[in-house]
Coordinates of all heavy atoms in Angstrom, one line a residue:
P21 N 9.7 156.8 69.2 CA 9.2 156.1 70.3 C 10.4 155.4 71.2 O 10.2 155.3 72.4 CB 8.3 155.0 69.7 CG 7.8 155.7 68.5 CD 9.0 156.5 68.0
A24 N 11.6 158.0 73.4 CA 10.6 158.4 74.4 C 10.6 157.6 75.7 O 10.3 158.0 76.8 CB 9.2 158.4 73.8
T25 N 11.0 156.3 75.5 CA 11.2 155.4 76.6 C 12.3 155.8 77.6 O 12.3 155.4 78.7 CB 11.4 154.0 76.2 OG1 12.7 153.9 75.5 CG2 10.3 153.4 75.3
I27 N 13.0 159.1 78.3 CA 12.7 160.4 78.9 C 11.9 160.1 80.2 O 10.8 159.6 80.2 CB 11.8 161.3 78.0 CG1 12.5 161.5 76.7 CG2 11.4 162.6 78.7 CD1 11.7 162.2 75.6
P28 N 12.6 160.5 81.4 CA 12.0 160.2 82.7 C 10.5 160.6 82.8 O 9.7 159.8 83.4 CB 12.9 161.0 83.6 CG 14.2 161.1 82.9 CD 13.8 161.3 81.5
L29 N 10.1 161.7 82.4 CA 8.8 162.2 82.5 C 7.8 161.3 81.8 O 6.6 161.2 82.2 CB 8.6 163.7 82.0 CG 7.3 164.3 82.1 CD1 6.9 164.5 83.6 CD2 7.3 165.7 81.5
L30 N 8.2 160.7 80.7 CA 7.3 159.9 79.9 C 7.4 158.4 80.2 O 6.6 157.6 79.7 CB 7.7 160.1 78.4 CG 7.6 161.5 77.8 CD1 8.0 161.5 76.4 CD2 6.2 162.0 78.0
K31 N 8.3 157.9 81.1 CA 8.5 156.5 81.3 C 7.2 155.8 81.8 O 6.9 154.7 81.4 CB 9.6 156.3 82.3 CG 11.0 156.3 81.7 CD 12.0 155.8 82.6 CE 13.3 155.8 81.9 NZ 14.3 155.1 82.6
Q32 N 6.4 156.5 82.6 CA 5.2 155.8 83.1 C 4.1 155.8 82.2 O 3.1 155.1 82.4 CB 4.8 156.4 84.5 CG 4.2 157.8 84.3 CD 5.3 158.9 84.5 OE1 6.5 158.6 84.4 NE2 4.8 160.1 84.6
W33 N 4.2 156.4 81.0 CA 3.1 156.4 80.0 C 3.3 155.3 79.0 O 3.5 155.5 77.9 CB 3.1 157.8 79.3 CG 2.7 158.9 80.2 CD1 2.6 159.0 81.5 CD2 2.4 160.2 79.7 NE1 2.2 160.2 81.9 CE2 2.1 161.0 80.8 CE3 2.3 160.8 78.5 CZ2 1.7 162.3 80.8 CZ3 2.0 162.1 78.4 CH2 1.7 162.9 79.5
S34 N 3.3 154.1 79.5 CA 3.6 152.9 78.7 C 2.4 152.1 78.3 O 2.5 150.9 78.1 CB 4.7 152.1 79.4 OG 4.2 151.6 80.6
T35 N 1.2 152.7 78.4 CA 0.0 151.9 78.1 C 0.0 151.5 76.6 O 0.1 152.3 75.7 CB -1.3 152.8 78.3 OG1 -1.2 153.3 79.7 CG2 -2.5 152.0 78.1
P36 N -0.2 150.2 76.4 CA -0.2 149.7 75.0 C -1.5 150.3 74.3 O -2.5 150.5 74.9 CB -0.4 148.2 75.1 CG 0.1 147.9 76.5 CD -0.2 149.1 77.3
I37 N -1.3 150.6 73.0 CA -2.4 151.1 72.2 C -3.6 150.1 72.2 O -4.8 150.5 72.2 CB -2.0 151.4 70.7 CG1 -0.9 152.5 70.7 CG2 -3.2 151.7 69.8 CD1 -0.3 152.7 69.4
D38 N -3.3 148.8 72.2 CA -4.4 147.8 72.2 C -5.0 147.5 73.7 O -5.8 146.7 73.8 CB -4.0 146.5 71.6 CG -2.9 145.8 72.3 OD1 -2.5 146.2 73.4 OD2 -2.4 144.8 71.7
F39 N -4.4 148.2 74.7 CA -4.8 148.1 76.1 C -4.8 146.6 76.5 O -5.5 146.2 77.4 CB -6.2 148.6 76.3 CG -6.3 150.1 76.1 CD1 -6.9 150.6 74.9 CD2 -5.8 151.0 77.0 CE1 -7.0 152.0 74.7 CE2 -5.9 152.4 76.8 CZ -6.5 152.9 75.7
G40 N -3.9 145.8 75.9 CA -3.7 144.4 76.3 C -4.8 143.5 75.7 O -4.8 142.3 76.0
R47 N -2.7 138.8 70.8 CA -2.6 140.2 71.1 C -2.8 141.0 69.8 O -2.4 140.6 68.7 CB -1.2 140.6 71.7 CG -1.1 140.4 73.1 CD -2.0 141.3 74.0 NE -1.7 142.7 73.9 CZ -0.7 143.3 74.6 NH1 0.0 142.6 75.5 NH2 -0.6 144.6 74.5
G50 N 0.4 144.3 70.8 CA 1.5 143.9 71.7 C 1.9 145.1 72.6 O 1.5 146.2 72.4
D51 N 2.8 144.8 73.5 CA 3.3 145.8 74.5 C 4.2 146.9 73.9 O 4.3 148.0 74.5 CB 4.0 145.1 75.6 CG 3.0 144.4 76.5 OD1 1.8 144.7 76.6 OD2 3.5 143.4 77.2
N52 N 4.8 146.7 72.7 CA 5.7 147.6 72.2 C 5.1 148.8 71.4 O 5.8 149.7 71.1 CB 6.7 146.9 71.3 CG 7.6 145.9 72.0 OD1 7.9 146.2 73.2 ND2 8.0 144.9 71.4
K53 N 3.8 148.7 71.2 CA 3.1 149.8 70.5 C 2.3 150.5 71.6 O 1.2 150.1 72.0 CB 2.1 149.3 69.4 CG 2.8 148.4 68.4 CD 3.9 149.2 67.6 CE 4.6 148.2 66.6 NZ 6.0 148.6 66.4
T54 N 2.8 151.7 72.0 CA 2.2 152.4 73.1 C 1.7 153.7 72.7 O 2.1 154.3 71.7 CB 3.3 152.6 74.3 OG1 4.3 153.5 73.8 CG2 3.9 151.3 74.7
W55 N 0.8 154.2 73.5 CA 0.3 155.6 73.3 C 1.4 156.6 73.4 O 1.4 157.6 72.7 CB -0.9 155.9 74.3 CG -2.1 155.2 74.0 CD1 -2.6 154.0 74.6 CD2 -3.0 155.5 72.9 NE1 -3.8 153.6 73.9 CE2 -4.0 154.5 72.9 CE3 -3.0 156.5 71.9 CZ2 -5.1 154.5 72.0 CZ3 -4.1 156.5 71.0 CH2 -5.1 155.5 71.0
R56 N 2.3 156.4 74.4 CA 3.5 157.3 74.5 C 4.2 157.4 73.2 O 4.5 158.5 72.7 CB 4.4 156.7 75.6 CG 5.7 157.4 75.7 CD 6.7 156.8 76.6 NE 7.0 155.4 76.2 CZ 7.2 154.4 77.1 NH1 7.2 154.7 78.4 NH2 7.4 153.2 76.7
G57 N 4.5 156.2 72.6 CA 5.3 156.3 71.3 C 4.5 156.9 70.2 O 5.1 157.7 69.4
L58 N 3.2 156.6 70.1 CA 2.4 157.2 69.0 C 2.3 158.7 69.2 O 2.5 159.5 68.2 CB 1.0 156.6 69.0 CG 0.0 157.1 68.0 CD1 0.5 156.9 66.6 CD2 -1.4 156.5 68.1
L59 N 2.0 159.2 70.4 CA 1.8 160.6 70.6 C 3.2 161.4 70.5 O 3.3 162.4 69.8 CB 1.2 160.9 71.9 CG -0.3 160.4 72.1 CD1 -0.8 160.6 73.5 CD2 -1.2 161.0 71.0

Side-chain angles (χ1 to χ4, degrees):
T25 63
I27 299 172
L29 181 65
L30 300 178
K31 278 192 176 191
Q32 69 271 12
W33 294 11
S34 59
T35 304
I37 294 172
D38 66 8
F39 296 104
R47 278 294 295 275
D51 289 335
N52 295 328
K53 305 299 179 211
T54 65
W55 287 104
R56 169 189 57 216
L58 178 61
L59 296 174

